[in-house]
Amino acid sequence: MDSWQMECCGDPFAVGDEVTWFLDDRTDLAWCEAVLGPEVAGRITHAEEHHEDGGELPERTGRVVSISRALCDYAPTTGDRRFLHPVPGSSVLVAVDRSDEEDGAAPRGLTFIGWVVDLELLEVDHPAQV
């Protein structure tokens, strides 16, 4: 779940909570790989959307199994220092119990970009990772 999804609206969630979200199975794998690395990106099956486009997506209910805060470093990749991009290999996942929990042990200087959430869908037999 991208951090901007909850910056303006959205309710905090915690491990064990039952949530109903609009889940999009058209994730931007290239972006996920650039930010989180191929191993973590390969486990992500859905993106959560609760803004204007959410109404066109299926609403799914599930139980939050785990939450990790995702952070990474950004730097320019060209001579133009105005454009920052994720630094490959800089991502860190910090396990938390609540989405509104910050971990003081997270490395300083990294940018919070969202959460990786293991979600056990209640109407199917397999989990989704958001």
Side-chain angles (χ1 to χ4, degrees):
M1 177 187 298
D2 294 321
S3 62
W4 64 267
Q5 290 285 355
M6 300 266 295
E7 286 175 355
C8 65
C9 53
D11 296 320
F13 54 92
V15 171
D17 282 356
E18 186 175 298
V19 296
T20 300
W21 290 338
F22 292 104
L23 296 183
D24 189 347
D25 62 1
R26 299 167 295 169
T27 59
D28 185 346
L29 292 179
W31 171 251
C32 290
E33 283 185 12
V35 175
L36 301 171
E39 183 180 327
V40 174
R43 297 189 330 247
I44 295 178
T45 61
H46 293 79
E48 190 275 343
E49 173 63 59
H50 68 265
H51 288 89
E52 292 177 11
D53 296 338
E56 300 173 10
L57 298 169
E59 191 172 54
R60 307 294 296 273
T61 299
R63 185 162 321 283
V64 176
V65 176
S66 68
I67 306 167
S68 293
R69 289 174 50 84
L71 305 104
C72 76
D73 192 15
Y74 282 86
T77 58
T78 65
D80 190 343
R81 302 193 60 79
R82 295 177 298 165
F83 298 104
L84 301 178
H85 301 274
V87 174
S90 70
S91 67
V92 173
L93 295 179
V94 178
V96 294
D97 293 324
R98 300 186 49 81
S99 64
D100 56 358
E101 176 182 342
E102 292 189 29
D103 184 354
R108 293 199 184 278
L110 297 183
T111 300
F112 170 64
I113 55 171
W115 300 268
V116 175
V117 179
D118 284 312
L119 185 65
E120 178 184 10
L121 296 177
L122 298 181
E123 61 270 11
V124 296
D125 295 331
H126 59 283
Q129 190 161 62
V130 180

